[in-house]
Amino acid sequence: MSKSVDELERDVEASRGRLDGTLAELQSRLNPTNLTEELTGTRDPAGSAALAAGRLSDTVRANPLPVLLIGAGFAFLAFATVRQAAERRRLRVLSEEALKAPSDASLPGNHPDRLEEKLEEALEETFPDSDPVSVRITR
């Protein structure tokens, strides 16, 4: 019916022993050396690199179109990056030149006294007297 205290203690000790064994096995499996060995199938790092290169080569031979598309994607990404960098350089040079150039306000034709006269000329050019819908501004 019910187990005695001694039997329960033995069961608990047995469970602890099994748990300790399981934990030790998990720790050995999660060791970095054992993980690389399981992933590559070899203990030698140079051998695993050669094995990985061989697998990559086999994958490329088996799937040339996806590899070509991935390569084209990387090439486009590199091209776009280089183009953006060149555009940034160009804009930086242009902005530096613009800062060095004299402003339009310093030009003799843009003197504040001449602005009214230039506005009159622009209106006359836009709406000449010969135009049937001519506008004459008088003051």
Side-chain angles (χ1 to χ4, degrees):
M1 293 204 300
S2 69
K3 294 184 177 181
S4 70
V5 173
D6 291 335
E7 288 177 355
L8 289 174
E9 286 180 0
R10 280 193 300 269
D11 286 346
V12 167
E13 288 301 320
S15 295
R16 283 184 185 156
R18 286 192 306 271
L19 184 59
D20 285 342
T22 303
L23 287 175
E25 182 183 342
L26 285 174
Q27 284 178 336
S28 69
R29 283 186 181 180
L30 295 178
N31 184 348
T33 306
N34 291 340
L35 281 176
T36 57
E37 181 182 331
E38 284 185 33
L39 289 175
T40 60
T42 180
R43 281 193 176 277
D44 181 26
S48 66
L51 183 63
R55 287 181 184 168
L56 179 64
S57 173
D58 292 343
T59 302
V60 168
R61 282 192 205 110
N63 305 300
L65 184 60
V67 171
L68 179 68
L69 292 174
I70 291 170
F74 280 133
F76 181 73
L77 180 65
F79 173 74
T81 302
V82 169
R83 196 177 85 220
Q84 280 182 344
E87 182 67 14
R88 284 190 190 117
R89 273 193 309 273
R90 186 183 73 80
L91 290 175
R92 187 175 55 242
V93 168
L94 286 176
S95 66
E96 289 171 0
E97 288 176 2
L99 290 174
K100 293 176 185 175
S103 67
D104 286 347
S106 64
L107 296 174
N110 291 337
H111 195 270
D113 298 338
R114 291 215 49 224
L115 289 180
E116 194 67 35
E117 179 184 327
K118 290 184 85 162
L119 180 60
E120 296 277 336
E121 288 175 15
L123 282 172
E124 190 61 38
E125 281 182 22
T126 307
F127 304 105
D129 287 338
S130 62
D131 191 357
V133 188
S134 170
V135 175
R136 172 73 69 185
I137 298 176
T138 58
R139 291 189 186 186

